[in-house]
Amino acid sequence: MTFGKVTGTVVASQRSDEITGLKYLLVRSCNEKGDMGDDYLVALDLVGCGRGEMVLLSQGSSVRQTEVTKQKAVDCVIVGIVDLVEKQGKVVFRK
Amino acid sequence: MTFGKVTGTVVASQRSDEITGLKYLLVRSCNEKGDMGDDYLVALDLVGCGRGEMVLLSQGSSVRQTEVTKQKAVDCVIVGIVDLVEKQGKVVFRK
Amino acid sequence: MTFGKVTGTVVASQRSDEITGLKYLLVRSCNEKGDMGDDYLVALDLVGCGRGEMVLLSQGSSVRQTEVTKQKAVDCVIVGIVDLVEKQGKVVFRK
Amino acid sequence: MTFGKVTGTVVASQRSDEITGLKYLLVRSCNEKGDMGDDYLVALDLVGCGRGEMVLLSQGSSVRQTEVTKQKAVDCVIVGIVDLVEKQGKVVFRK
Amino acid sequence: MTFGKVTGTVVASQRSDEITGLKYLLVRSCNEKGDMGDDYLVALDLVGCGRGEMVLLSQGSSVRQTEVTKQKAVDCVIVGIVDLVEKQGKVVFRK
């Protein structure tokens, strides 16, 4: 898993088989301390996270393995809200 | 998922098990604001999108998980047409 | 999917469970116009393509989803022979 | 698989379906000799490893294939503690 | 698939569910001619290859699809020993 911060929302619709728009979260990559990087990803939220929170991202086909994402063409999900990161005995991030 | 813009079509045929050509879409990568990048990908369209539209792309084996792509060797699909991207409270893209 | 051009063949054998050598194709990456890049990949041919043809490559675990590749440890297959690429209304590649 | 060294822990919670926080390990990439690189990953520990140990990391959807990770959206696990690395007849790493 | 050369072995143990150490191969990336690159990977050997041999590597979740790797968290396997590489009519590698 990698780290990211929730920075916005993406609304997308599907003309073919669904009428209602789906809401995804816009996530910016960050390092283990929470310092933000340059990459943005669109992720499905499995954990109920809020704006600005540091989250754990799981990418690739592993993301199908939950009740929510089963049978959906989703390749990036938020699997947890980061509460604390400890590195060589020091707390480098705390929520 | 990542962002892309539909910029063309790709027609490809299979000599082995199918006679008819298959139509794929040529998609150019873009950022969350819709500014286009340098990469081109070929994607299967699951949502019925049109030329120039900003779309959400799902890559990897997750793309098998729909009725259309099941049992097909496809590694990139368009899963939604982007209607709106909101970033830190500001709308940075609107269709 | 991405673009490639068939540039050669690779013969590989397996000491453990098969006696006969397997034939794979050597594929060089190219862009949507057919201009060749620097990367070479080894792919399994699912469509019966010939030397010099521009093809569509599917990578990752999606490639297991066909009769041929089922239960094989293959991570790159040729899924189609490119007949035509149209980009913003102009034909940029024709076979 | 690739090499990494265990450098810390990450505590993450899920608001949606679990109350208790989950513990992941913070792993820093390293080469075959154990020289550390710049990348940090968050991995699930399948083998019971300790701080500072050099480990083997398996990434992608392959990580679902164990009893522990089954049905979990996990994309990086520690599959073994490295005891010895031999390269062209010389031992370049020993635990 | 990509090319690599077998350059050593990696012994790794699992404290949790297995006592015996597992043997993996250390593989160095190479190009289609066998010229070695800078990257090292750890792969499971499915074909019985020896030191210095040029091999075909399959990465990602596709590697679960064999009897040996089924239900194992392995993301890189050696699927064949390269006997010959032919590129635009010329043999560029022969075992």
Side-chain angles (χ1 to χ4, degrees), chain E residues 36-79:
Chain E
M36 284 198 269
D38 294 330
D39 298 320
Y40 285 90
L41 279 168
V42 180
L44 200 68
D45 179 13
L46 296 181
V47 298
C49 56
R51 173 76 43 107
E53 283 188 310
M54 183 162 154
V55 293
L56 276 183
L57 295 168
S58 185
Q59 291 173 263
S61 59
S62 59
V63 302
R64 290 171 311 186
Q65 295 307 103
T66 64
E67 279 308 299
V68 179
T69 56
K70 220 168 162 183
Q71 303 297 329
K72 293 248 176 79
V74 168
D75 67 358
C76 183
V77 296
I78 297 172
V79 293

Side-chain angles (χ1 to χ4, degrees), chain C residues 10-14 20-24, chain E residues 56 79-84:
Chain C
V10 177
V11 181
S13 59
Q14 303 187 22
T20 55
L22 287 173
K23 187 187 153 194
Y24 299 92
Chain E
L56 276 183
V79 293
I81 299 158
V82 178
D83 294 314
L84 185 147

